[in-house]
Amino acid sequence: MTLSTSGFGAFHSAVHGGKQPCAWQQRLLEQIVRDKAWPQVLDLPTGAGKTTCIDIALFALAVDATSEGAERWCSRRIAMVVDRRIVVDQVAERGRTILRALMTSTDGIVAEVASRLRSLTRTGEEPLGVFTLRGGVPKDDGWARTPDQPLVIASTVDQVGSRMLMQGYGVSQGMKPVHAGLLANDTLLLLDEVHLSEPFRQTLDQLARLRARFSGSGVKTRFSHAFLSATPGSGATTTFALLDDEKQPDSPLGPRLHASKPTRLMEADDRTALETACIEQAKGLLERHRTIAVVVNRLASATVIARQLREMLGTDATVTLLTGRMRPLDRDEVLRELRPAVQTGRNRSDDSPKRVIVGTQCIEAGADFDFDALVTEAASLDSLRQRFGRVDRLGKYMRADGIIVYDKSATDDPVYGRAIAETVKWLKEQGKERPKKHKDDLKRLKDKAKKLNGEARQQVEAQIARMALVDFGVLVLEVPTGDGLVNLLAPKPSAPTLLPAYLDLWAQTSPPPSQLPDVSLWLHGPSAGPADVQVIWRADLAEEVLQCGYVEAATNVVAAIRPSSLEAMSLPFFTARAWLANQPTHDLGDIEGATPDDVELKTAGRRALRWRGDESEIVCAQSDSEPSLKPGDTIVVPVSYGGIRSGCFDATSAEPVQDRAEQAELFARARPVLRLHPVIVEKLGLSLPLEDADEARTRLDLLASTGDWPAWKRLWAEKLAKGRGWLVVSGEPSWTVIEASRVSLSALRGVLQPDETLENGVELTTDGDDSFHAGRAVWLSEHSADVETFAREYAMRCGLGARLAEHVAIAAWLHDIGKADRRFQLMLRGGSEIEFFKDETPWAKSAMPPGAREAHRIAQQKSGYPRGARHEVQSLAMVQGQLQAVERALQKAHATNEPDVDLVLHLVASHHGYCRPFAPAVVDESPVDVTLAEHTSKKFGALDFTVTTSKNELHRLDSPLADRFWSLVAQYGWHELCWLESILRLADHRASEEEQSKEVSP
């Protein structure tokens, strides 16, 4: 079937319930397909339907999918980024809507788009992945699962920006290059509301100019970025905007662009009075509206207002608090109940229940809300327009009301600066000028009112009153231009100049330099705050374990179910630190990059586990003598610490928090698990025997068939009942975790609500010491061949071309040969000489489960393999001894007559994230000779690796690793080298994952 831009209307209609795209959306698609590029700026007003850019980008990708790899121009990853904490992910929800259609629709054009998107990825993968890129949690990289699957990514400036600069917040050192490689290549980045993100906009432009110097490296990046905003500013070379006829009142967009939103301005003496005024005005609006919002600039104020409204209104109205500080699973639950009352396009009814939604800046972007009326704290003009953009979004309600409350005692705001005072001043002036501008219309209405009586007269008088107010309708509000507008906008700091030297420092991810430039300066400007902290609550982690410093025990407990971003709450660093110390928390705006004054804490406070896999440690809030909380940390705390009320962060709440680890593991990684821990089982409301795993599975089978549970929980119980996996968590006493095989995405999607978050997460990675403990033994020959196949296919599909693809493939074939070390083979067999004697065939993977940390430790000790030694460094030493043979193998594969063996060596050395630029310093006190005979590839033939000592000295500063790294950076580029590494490493991930579904090799 031929696919062209003319089919977009039919595709959009089939996906979105018969709705045709707007004229500008069709026009934009035709322009980017014709130009093979996105315009620099999309100047689109609030309410114009900017999220349809996701549909446009995916359709353009489908049109481009049949082009030859080297000719393909369209990016397969589409990331929409906004500089706001996201509470409702409209982008991800739209992505999931498209994915459901691609998976289930029988419409011809939808099926064709699905087929073309599938052609871009490996057989068996879904045509599209949809992810929200949240605060980094080590080893929680579902979006970074493959390099070739088309993706829709919703995220924030902090999360995308830090990763693009190779310093991903909360991302492990080993995975930073992978995240950078994926986001900086084959990605379209759409920066929404760019006026909120001036420093990051500048950084993106500077980075593009710096990367241009590597355009002749042979690596086609397919990276592009575009800025979306109603107030983009000047300087754009190519701007796309609505045409005049697309903005007319009788156009399809007309009702939403010209909808009237008359707004009153009122003052309050101080913040307490402001909160009281918001409460009183909300009560008044409820007398004539069913669904209203109250939006304030401080989280503490939102909490107070929500609590007092609940007390005042009782059962007369439902009050919901929404902030950016919610765990994703909590947020999904709150929104599932709320959505029918606030979603755009709902049928408004005079007898529907009354609702009050109290929120913060988080609803300004990414939220598909449609309120009847709004009470808002004064803010900069751009923020106010965003908030009013959530009122009568489609222009069908036609009775919208707005009230702006300002604190007259405040002079300078930490988030908006002087913009609030200037905006209030401007609004007052508009209030005086508006009656003059509409003098004739007002006179006509007054004359009309004189002739009427009763209700008819009241309606006209109400119309007169509304006409005299400032109107925040999208195109009704007469926004000033030039300097008059600049003073009304939130301050726009500038990013520092992005120098190549900074990228050189950030590129050194292993080991990192002792001093690094803070990337937040390039994301939010000089006044940027430190990176957020991710907080996870666990019921099986006891306070006593942390207070006594039992780090091994705490790590064992948490590792039983690895933390997931679905159960994590993102908190500003200073807020998290004060809360951990049991000190008053800072009342910041609910935005990224906000910076409070640093306050010296008086106590080290409570302890938490800083989660870094095997390198986890116990930290306190602040101390000069023990490890302390740092920006970007992921910490795990006992549920007894409290901190959550009604789904939102509340530092004053002492109520035990719900542990969501089992649900998060299923939704994030499709893996059913259950901790048979007395506290966990009790909190889940289960009655199960804790000492007998088999009997517990039998009980779960009965509960799944009779319990009044949601569909996902029944599936979870059914799979656990049939599963066989288990591991023991050591402790006093020890306890068991039962588990089952991964659930297929189709089965899991079938039991979830459409709006529930599902992510195809990563279980097996190449990041960490447990990467070779996969729960099933795999031969080295099998694994090497599998990774080679994956790497070659990925490289070709990603458009690297045959030459580079074969370099990546041969590195993939050779990457694990260092595991031939006899001690490593013993370690894979649990340290058993007897098991090794039975079969000396080299293994690549152990049958021990990843979470069995105590068994891993014992195996390493019994084997004699040096702690901290890296098998990939031994692989490098062995390949260096056979360079001529490797060159001949590449030539035999018709890759090139001039092989780049330096690239091959680096890819082998860095496939676990090390050797960028130095290898870990590990001295082998009892070195051995390592050999590997008849290492065979269908493409490259067979190689014999003769004796190579394990005392290879490659960790020395005078080894060639660092020089090789820098020469490759100079040749390919910072992000391009990350991209090449990512393809091999993700091939290793996916080959390992696929091998677990096969029979045991040995």
Side-chain angles (χ1 to χ4, degrees), residues 156-183:
T156 62
V157 167
D158 271 354
Q159 297 309 321
V160 167
S162 64
R163 284 166 168 82
M164 286 193 64
L165 296 180
M166 297 169 283
Q167 295 296 309
Y169 287 161
V171 180
S172 64
Q173 289 298 126
M175 286 301 289
K176 284 177 179 177
V178 174
H179 287 215
L182 291 176
L183 282 175

Side-chain angles (χ1 to χ4, degrees), residues 903-974:
L903 177 60
V904 175
L905 292 170
H906 173 73
L907 292 177
V908 169
S910 64
H911 82 265
H912 278 270
Y914 294 95
C915 302
R916 306 187 89 251
F918 299 112
V922 178
V923 178
D924 192 345
E925 301 290 354
S926 303
V928 299
D929 291 335
V930 183
T931 63
L932 181 62
E934 287 293 310
H935 189 57
T936 305
S937 162
K938 292 180 180 179
K939 188 71 177 281
F940 300 115
L943 288 180
D944 291 324
F945 294 91
T946 54
V947 172
T948 305
T949 179
S950 63
K951 193 174 183 179
N952 49 60
E953 303 292 317
L954 288 174
H955 64 275
R956 290 170 55 97
L957 293 179
D958 59 358
S959 80
L961 269 75
D963 287 343
R964 181 184 300 125
F965 173 76
W966 289 118
S967 68
L968 290 170
V969 168
Q971 179 180 350
Y972 292 101
W974 305 280

Side-chain angles (χ1 to χ4, degrees), residues 12 91 104-105 139 151 348 458 469 497 513 539 628 633 686 708 733 744 748 752 759 777 794 825 872 896:
H12 190 279
V91 173
T104 62
S105 178
K139 294 192 176 187
L151 295 182
R348 284 178 163 91
Q458 291 176 359
L469 299 175
T497 301
S628 302
D633 277 349
L686 302 173
D708 185 19
S744 70
L748 190 52
L752 295 185
E759 298 187 348
Y794 280 161
Q825 291 299 308
E872 66 270 26
T896 178

